[in-house]
Amino acid sequence: MKIAVTYENGEVFQHFGHTPYFKVYNIENGTVISSEVVSTNGSGHGALAGVLNRLNADVLICGGIGGGAKAALDAAFIRLCGGVSGSADAAVEAFLNGSLDFNNMANCDHHAHEHGENHTCGSHGCETHGENHACGSHGCH
């Protein structure tokens, strides 16, 4: 399994769409066996799902995240754990031991709310997933 964390200076970066780096952790048997910091090369928002897909990430741990990026992650079958802050390493350890406190409803906190007409900040999260969505597979609680 690979876990990616939005990353800057050892911390979970708080705006997915502007993250300068991902720290990618390789996991075997529930243990981190290696990690590396990878530049996003200026990619932003929904395009970052493609970066994560190329990195073969299974899970993303991040701070705030918008609806377009959530949809792109969902389409790429990458599990989202949003609304996380603090140490990236500690967040991964908490995820692995089942104690990560996350909130996938944490969105648009870093947006100016001047989105286009097709963006509705209130529609992010489990309450709007379609009939084919299994919230249990994406960490919603």
Side-chain angles (χ1 to χ4, degrees):
M1 170 178 20
K2 285 192 177 183
I3 300 172
V5 180
T6 54
Y7 187 79
E8 187 176 59
N9 298 322
E11 301 288 310
V12 176
F13 190 75
Q14 290 302 296
H15 187 170
F16 173 79
H18 291 278
T19 189
Y21 304 99
F22 290 112
K23 187 167 183 181
V24 181
Y25 300 79
N26 292 303
I27 311 299
E28 284 186 15
N29 300 319
T31 302
V32 175
I33 59 166
S34 66
S35 65
E36 67 177 320
V37 176
V38 179
S39 173
T40 62
N41 293 317
S43 296
H45 295 94
L48 288 169
V51 172
L52 292 169
N53 206 16
R54 287 187 295 280
L55 292 169
N56 296 313
D58 300 295
V59 176
L60 170 68
I61 298 173
C62 67
I65 185 168
K70 282 184 178 184
L73 291 171
D74 196 44
F77 301 102
I78 297 171
R79 180 178 174 186
L80 172 63
C81 296
V84 177
S85 61
S87 163
D89 293 348
V92 170
E93 287 302 319
F95 176 84
L96 292 173
N97 69 31
S99 66
L100 181 64
D101 184 22
F102 61 95
N103 176 2
N104 286 343
M105 302 301 282
N107 355 303
C108 283
D109 295 331
H110 303 282
H111 290 265
H113 287 94
E114 296 174 9
H115 303 293
E117 60 188 58
N118 293 327
H119 182 91
T120 54
C121 288
S123 68
H124 306 312
C126 300
E127 74 275 8
T128 62
H129 291 140
E131 62 189 54
N132 294 324
H133 183 83
C135 282
S137 68
H138 290 276
C140 301
H141 46 238

